[in-house]
Amino acid sequence: MNTSEVLKIVDHTLLTQTATWEDIKTILDDGIKYETASACIPAAYVKQAAEYVEGKLPICTVIGFPNGYSTTATKVFETKDAIVNGASEIDMVINVGALKDKKYDYVKNDIHTLKEVCGSDIVLKVIIETCLLTDEEKVKACELAKEAGADFVKTSTGFSTGGAKAEDVALMRKTVGDDMGVKASGGIHTAEEAQAMIDAGASRLGTSATLAIIGK
């Protein structure tokens, strides 16, 4: 992909605890300037950000982040709040412990309930946190997300023990097929790393190093 094509699939991301409004504004300005897929920011900034960009850039935020073990009801409240405030994309974290307990109905319902809140207009991405899962669990998580109606599966929060790996992206793409999005996120810092994820099957990238990736 050329630079402009890469930018169109990037969620320009800033989710650090220390992010200030000035930091967020920089992300938003860059996202508008370089026409990224979205800006992925903390929920507390969504309303202010949506007002600031005036429809020029989709706003993405994270739900149940970064650990995923809040209740479904809590995730629903967070999601509704984010959408009311102007988010058009939602990245939720699955309950990893429930997956490992083989409580598959719970995990699927957690995702499906949020997709019902999102409806057809709001994109739902499901973070499975690949660094904490076996290959078998990665496959199962992807299958559950697809069955639940999610729009994307996503590798990582970037806040756990590891980030995106090309082999995980390839496994996720193989599992969900061509009709569902796969987002690689966490530890993507260079153009080479971004291209490796795309080559493995990623249709969206989450990175805070967007400008470095495009050589700016």
Side-chain angles (χ1 to χ4, degrees):
M1 281 188 173
N2 62 38
T3 298
S4 62
E5 290 173 328
V6 171
L7 287 167
K8 290 184 187 306
I9 65 166
V10 166
D11 290 340
H12 192 28
T13 302
L14 181 61
L15 294 169
T16 58
Q17 292 164 295
T18 55
T20 65
W21 172 241
E22 287 302 313
D23 298 329
I24 297 294
K25 276 205 300 184
T26 299
I27 291 290
L28 299 174
D29 289 339
D30 287 341
I32 292 169
K33 178 179 179 180
Y34 295 109
E35 299 181 341
T36 61
S38 80
C40 188
I41 60 173
Y45 289 114
V46 166
K47 183 174 174 56
Q48 195 173 3
E51 291 170 352
Y52 180 76
V53 303
E54 298 178 323
K56 298 170 188 170
L57 178 71
I59 301 299
C60 172
T61 196
V62 288
I63 301 297
F65 195 87
N67 294 314
Y69 49 38
S70 49
T71 64
T72 300
T74 301
K75 291 177 182 177
V76 166
F77 181 89
E78 285 187 276
T79 302
K80 288 181 176 179
D81 185 58
I83 293 170
V84 166
N85 286 335
S88 55
E89 301 200 359
I90 299 293
D91 290 18
M92 68 166 287
V93 187
I94 66 163
N95 187 318
V96 174
L99 180 74
K100 287 183 172 292
D101 270 341
K102 295 182 168 56
K103 295 178 179 177
Y104 300 140
D105 286 344
Y106 180 95
V107 176
K108 182 178 175 179
N109 180 70
D110 199 41
I111 300 166
H112 179 67
T113 302
L114 262 63
K115 185 55 191 173
E116 286 190 318
V117 172
C118 290
S120 59
D121 294 334
I122 306 297
V123 173
L124 179 66
K125 310 188 200 93
V126 178
I127 306 171
I128 67 171
E129 203 67 284
T130 49
C131 62
L132 302 180
L133 305 180
T134 65
D135 282 355
E136 181 182 356
E137 289 166 342
K138 294 167 195 172
V139 168
K140 190 62 180 180
C142 288
E143 290 173 345
L144 293 170
K146 186 172 184 177
E147 291 168 12
D151 300 291
F152 281 78
V153 284
K154 175 179 170 182
T155 59
S156 321
T157 62
F159 283 73
S160 189
T161 58
K165 293 182 178 179
E167 55 265 35
D168 288 335
V169 172
L171 178 63
M172 293 163 72
R173 172 56 70 200
K174 180 180 178 182
T175 303
V176 302
D178 296 330
D179 298 330
M180 189 175 183
V182 175
K183 178 176 174 181
S185 185
I188 304 170
H189 299 120
T190 67
E192 291 74 22
E193 289 170 345
Q195 189 61 55
M197 299 303 166
I198 294 166
D199 291 343
S203 51
R204 190 74 70 92
L205 304 176
T207 179
S208 58
T210 305
L211 300 189
I213 287 170
I214 63 171
K216 298 293 183 179

